[in-house]
Amino acid sequence: RSLVFSTGSSGINAEYGVFGGGSFGVAMSCVLARNGHSVCILTRRKELVDSINNNHVHPTHFQSYDLPENIRASTSPSEALSGALFVIHAVPVQESFEYLSNIKEYIPESLIFISTSKGLHIGSLSYMNELVPAALGRKQPIAFLSGPSFAKELMDNMPTAVTVASADVEIADSVKNIFSSATFRVYTTQDVIGVEVGGALKNIFAIAAGVLQGLGFGTNTMAALVTRGCHEMNRLAVAMGANVHTLNGLSGIGDLMLTCFGSLSRNRTVGIRLGKGETLEEIQATMTEVAEGVATAPAALELCQKYQLDLPIIKAVAWILAGKLKPADAVQELMSLPSGEEINF
């Protein structure tokens, strides 16, 4: 897709910029706007700008919702960031390097960057904490927001709790303060690796959960998947240097439960359709938003090999997506593996 933005500026002067006009970018904009902050969404789509600025409605997502009047939109990076203290990045991981490389000249070095993107870049095997500085060509003050947070439920202002990770405690606290409200609770951690691994890998297990539903299996099977999936997430996270306890929290098992059991999960929907016999090509041809787990699974399998880890659920999902293994055969193979001590690192 074209990454061309306009270069004009009429000085919207919003406190917060948002990269990405999809469902999660809009939902995060609403969380901030309800807290009294002015927000500008940066998008390439002129029709989105006109609809939000003139009618306070997103033209393709949440069309029945009236957006707060303190949310604006622009096709100009300089305009969207002209008065920004923070920027929220809600662009899919696979598109983020090119996206940021194209607009890096407009991003001040002091601007606090909040990534909400969850995934593993398939080319470089990078998480966002590596991808962002690589795209910008420098270090940037940065935090990573993750946890169980469906966009639609944020739009409905349902009570939600998330985690913000940053190596800089002051940045994590400042992000907590701008987002926190009576319906949006924010916890902090310095374990960036643990939070990023949890946010990326849970999408793989959500696909697996959908496959199980598509095949007609029940709650016993699903509970086994979620538990063993959490164990696999932990093993890879710890191997990469994460705190062993991080994935017991919202960014790990919290987000895992949301995406494995929640009907709003795009990754779970992909799995359901795979389980019912559709091909990945057929599924992707009809999807309007990205299911990050599709690209993350093969990248995660490469990462497992790099760290010499045998994580069978991740491998099974990657092989199903690659067309190397049928969903029903994958379940049979997983159930036929030798079993031993339950918890091992």
Side-chain angles (χ1 to χ4, degrees):
R1 292 187 306 179
S2 169
L3 286 170
V4 176
F5 293 96
S6 69
T7 56
S9 175
S10 60
I12 285 179
N13 220 37
E15 300 168 277
Y16 300 88
V18 174
F19 294 162
S23 58
F24 203 73
V26 174
M28 296 307 289
S29 298
C30 283
V31 173
L32 288 168
R34 288 172 186 144
N35 285 353
H37 303 303
S38 55
V39 180
C40 184
I41 299 171
L42 176 64
T43 177
R44 297 177 289 269
R45 298 165 54 196
K46 180 70 164 55
E47 74 277 10
L48 190 152
V49 172
D50 292 341
S51 182
I52 289 178
N53 291 349
N54 298 329
N55 304 319
H56 307 295
V57 173
H58 194 290
T60 54
H61 299 294
F62 310 123
Q63 293 147 295
S64 62
Y65 292 77
D66 292 326
L67 300 180
E69 293 190 7
N70 47 339
I71 295 176
R72 305 280 289 170
S74 175
T75 58
S76 164
S78 60
E79 183 175 58
L81 299 176
S82 61
L85 305 172
F86 298 78
V87 65
I88 292 83
H89 182 83
V91 175
V93 170
Q94 307 309 321
E95 300 174 18
S96 288
F97 185 89
E98 185 181 1
Y99 184 102
L100 292 171
S101 297
N102 273 274
I103 60 170
K104 61 185 178 182
E105 64 189 275
Y106 300 102
I107 302 173
E109 293 186 22
S110 60
L111 187 69
I112 295 177
F113 191 101
I114 305 167
S115 173
T116 67
S117 305
K118 301 172 182 177
L120 182 60
H121 188 262
I122 198 165
S124 61
L125 302 185
S126 298
Y127 291 100
M128 289 297 292
N129 71 84
E130 301 162 312
L131 193 148
V132 172
L136 298 181
R138 62 172 189 267
K139 289 186 176 180
Q140 188 79 17
I142 192 165
F144 304 87
L145 188 149
S146 193
S149 47
F150 281 144
K152 184 180 185 305
E153 295 191 8
L154 293 177
M155 295 297 292
D156 290 331
N157 213 15
M158 292 188 179
T160 300
V162 298
T163 299
V164 167
S166 179
D168 187 320
V169 174
E170 290 186 5
I171 289 176
D173 284 341
S174 65
V175 174
K176 178 187 73 173
N177 291 338
I178 64 169
F179 276 105
S180 293
S181 71
T183 56
F184 197 81
R185 187 169 178 83
V186 184
Y187 293 87
T188 62
T189 179
Q190 290 181 275
D191 187 7
V192 170
I193 294 172
V195 166
E196 285 239 86
V197 171
L201 297 192
K202 59 93 181 180
N203 289 323
I204 301 172
F205 302 112
I207 292 174
V211 166
L212 294 181
Q213 181 169 334
L215 289 169
F217 292 113
T219 312
N220 285 3
T221 319
M222 198 71 71
L225 167 74
V226 171
T227 307
R228 296 308 299 172
C230 191
H231 181 64
E232 289 193 11
M233 286 199 309
N234 249 321
R235 287 192 67 196
L236 182 56
V238 169
M240 295 184 69
N243 184 309
V244 69
H245 299 297
T246 298
L247 295 190
N248 293 330
L250 291 163
S251 62
I253 196 165
D255 217 355
L256 182 66
M257 287 193 292
L258 180 88
T259 48
C260 286
F261 292 107
S263 61
L264 296 173
S265 168
R266 294 191 294 271
N267 292 282
R268 182 172 173 270
T269 299
V270 168
I272 291 171
R273 295 174 67 179
L274 286 168
K276 290 183 174 179
E278 291 186 66
T279 66
L280 182 60
E281 291 73 24
E282 289 169 339
I283 296 165
Q284 289 184 310
T286 59
M287 293 190 71
T288 57
E289 289 197 280
V290 174
E292 288 277 15
V294 173
T296 299
L301 183 57
E302 282 191 59
L303 210 52
C304 292
Q305 293 163 350
K306 176 181 176 181
Y307 285 94
Q308 299 183 323
L309 293 172
D310 182 21
L311 304 181
I313 301 174
I314 290 175
K315 183 190 298 182
V317 173
W319 284 9
I320 290 170
L321 292 169
K324 296 179 180 179
L325 190 61
K326 292 182 178 178
D329 293 339
V331 176
Q332 187 174 1
E333 287 194 19
L334 287 168
M335 292 301 292
S336 300
L337 289 171
S339 59
E341 184 127 5
E342 182 182 9
I343 306 299
N344 61 307
F345 283 93

